[in-house]
Amino acid sequence: MINSTVKQNKNIGRLLIKCSDKPGIISTLSNFLFEHDSNIIESSQYSTDPQGGTFFIRIEFHCKDLAGKSVQMEKDFQMIAQEHSMDYQFAYSNERKRTAIFVSKEPYCLMELLWEWQNGDLETDIVVVISNHEGARGIVEDLGIPFHYIPANKDIRQQVEEEQIRLMKEYDVDLLILARYMQILTPEFVRHFPRQIINIHHSFLPAFIGARPYERAFERGVKIIGATSHYVTNDLDEGPIIEQDIERVDHRDSIVKLKKIGRQIERRVLAKAVKWHLEDRILVEDNKTIVFR
């Protein structure tokens, strides 16, 4: 399934752009792709204000022999980008991002990601799993994925993160997924991977940040619970939000039931956020995201 997906996508490219909004941008982009024998197969755009706001667009296109044409295409686009003061990125479906997953004791988010990956629904190569517990080793190694056990606590955090950073370089990782990894990352670690770390938080941020969210939600008598997936920054649980979801609950639901419902939400929210990142559907503006689903 994975190999057939790569073959199918070998001529698919993506162009993501942020610039000041003004008339003619879409026409300019369409003409550029037409002149380079490319067919637009998906296009999504958003403007903060049509009169002087910021314009965002994601275009997915098909181009025969894209691998042989991409260098010249990017070179030719530079003049357009300069003329319109564009921040832009070309991405190619056949250049699969390399992903690392960090996990602790609870493997349910890890297992969801592995299932999506096996099924061909995550356009990535999962190259390594790192954990501060041994429990997930069998699940991971049965799939032929390297597993590294690195005990972690606050007293040895520096040496732990040095080893983790070394492994990220060794495996040439593009994306780090915190699939219920229950260790706080230091600013030094985060600095190495800007907008490359996706976390799942077991509450509907900004409510119930920190420990024991379900217990605190139960004590508060909440009527909805949820989960939030976000990029990791140095502000704990306050990075740009990618996806959130909720379920309704009531007074009859115990803490155990709330946790069960919460785990289901966490799994699907994290999987969606990772999928959108891998498909280059997310643009970050300040501490917010524009997500072209």
Side-chain angles (χ1 to χ4, degrees), residues 142-165:
D142 283 349
L143 294 173
I145 301 170
F147 179 91
H148 289 265
Y149 165 60
I150 306 176
N153 60 63
K154 62 182 180 180
D155 297 326
I156 57 171
R157 185 161 291 160
Q158 181 178 347
Q159 66 190 71
V160 166
E161 290 192 344
E162 287 174 354
E163 174 64 8
Q164 291 170 339
I165 291 169

Side-chain angles (χ1 to χ4, degrees), residues 13-222:
R14 296 160 187 156
L15 177 56
L16 287 82
I17 291 169
K18 179 179 77 171
C19 63
S20 296
D21 199 359
K22 60 182 178 180
I25 295 174
I26 294 177
S27 175
T28 298
L29 297 174
S30 298
N31 285 335
F32 170 82
L33 290 170
F34 172 73
E35 290 168 357
H36 288 78
D37 301 319
S38 299
N39 183 33
I40 295 173
I41 54 179
E42 183 179 333
S43 179
S44 302
Q45 71 253 8
Y46 166 70
S47 177
T48 60
D49 188 333
Q51 295 182 321
T54 303
F55 180 74
F56 304 86
I57 188 167
R58 175 190 183 271
I59 298 175
E60 189 163 286
F61 60 91
H62 178 272
C63 179
K64 188 175 180 180
D65 188 27
L66 181 57
K69 298 176 180 177
S70 60
V71 173
Q72 185 63 47
M73 183 180 289
E74 292 190 32
K75 183 178 179 181
D76 293 345
F77 190 76
Q78 290 176 2
M79 186 177 296
I80 293 175
Q82 290 173 1
E83 180 181 349
H84 296 279
S85 299
M86 293 175 171
D87 292 333
Y88 70 97
Q89 173 194 352
F90 279 91
Y92 306 99
S93 292
N94 67 322
E95 296 178 357
R96 290 164 66 87
K97 295 178 177 64
R98 296 170 62 83
T99 295
I101 302 177
F102 286 35
V103 65
S104 289
K105 285 184 177 181
E106 299 179 300
Y108 55 89
C109 284
L110 167 67
M111 294 177 71
E112 181 74 16
L113 294 170
L114 293 175
W115 167 249
E116 294 280 348
W117 172 72
Q118 284 182 282
N119 204 35
D121 290 330
L122 291 182
E123 297 180 11
T124 190
D125 294 325
I126 300 176
V127 294
V128 65
V129 173
I130 292 174
S131 181
N132 57 328
H133 295 275
E134 285 278 14
R137 180 182 291 276
I139 299 170
V140 173
E141 292 185 339
D142 283 349
L143 294 173
I145 301 170
F147 179 91
H148 289 265
Y149 165 60
I150 306 176
N153 60 63
K154 62 182 180 180
D155 297 326
I156 57 171
R157 185 161 291 160
Q158 181 178 347
Q159 66 190 71
V160 166
E161 290 192 344
E162 287 174 354
E163 174 64 8
Q164 291 170 339
I165 291 169
R166 186 192 68 78
L167 287 170
M168 295 305 95
K169 292 178 179 178
E170 177 183 328
Y171 286 98
D172 192 21
V173 168
D174 301 302
L175 175 66
L176 285 70
I177 305 170
L178 306 183
R180 300 289 290 144
Y181 182 66
M182 306 307 291
Q183 295 287 317
I184 296 175
L185 302 178
T186 67
E188 175 63 19
F189 185 93
V190 174
R191 182 182 65 81
H192 281 79
F193 309 101
R195 295 177 186 170
Q196 293 175 273
I197 308 174
I198 294 179
N199 186 35
I200 184 68
H201 193 281
H202 47 202
S203 73
F204 192 61
L205 295 175
F208 306 114
I209 293 173
R212 303 179 62 253
Y214 292 112
E215 287 81 358
R216 289 156 55 212
F218 178 80
E219 292 165 3
R220 189 69 178 83
V222 300

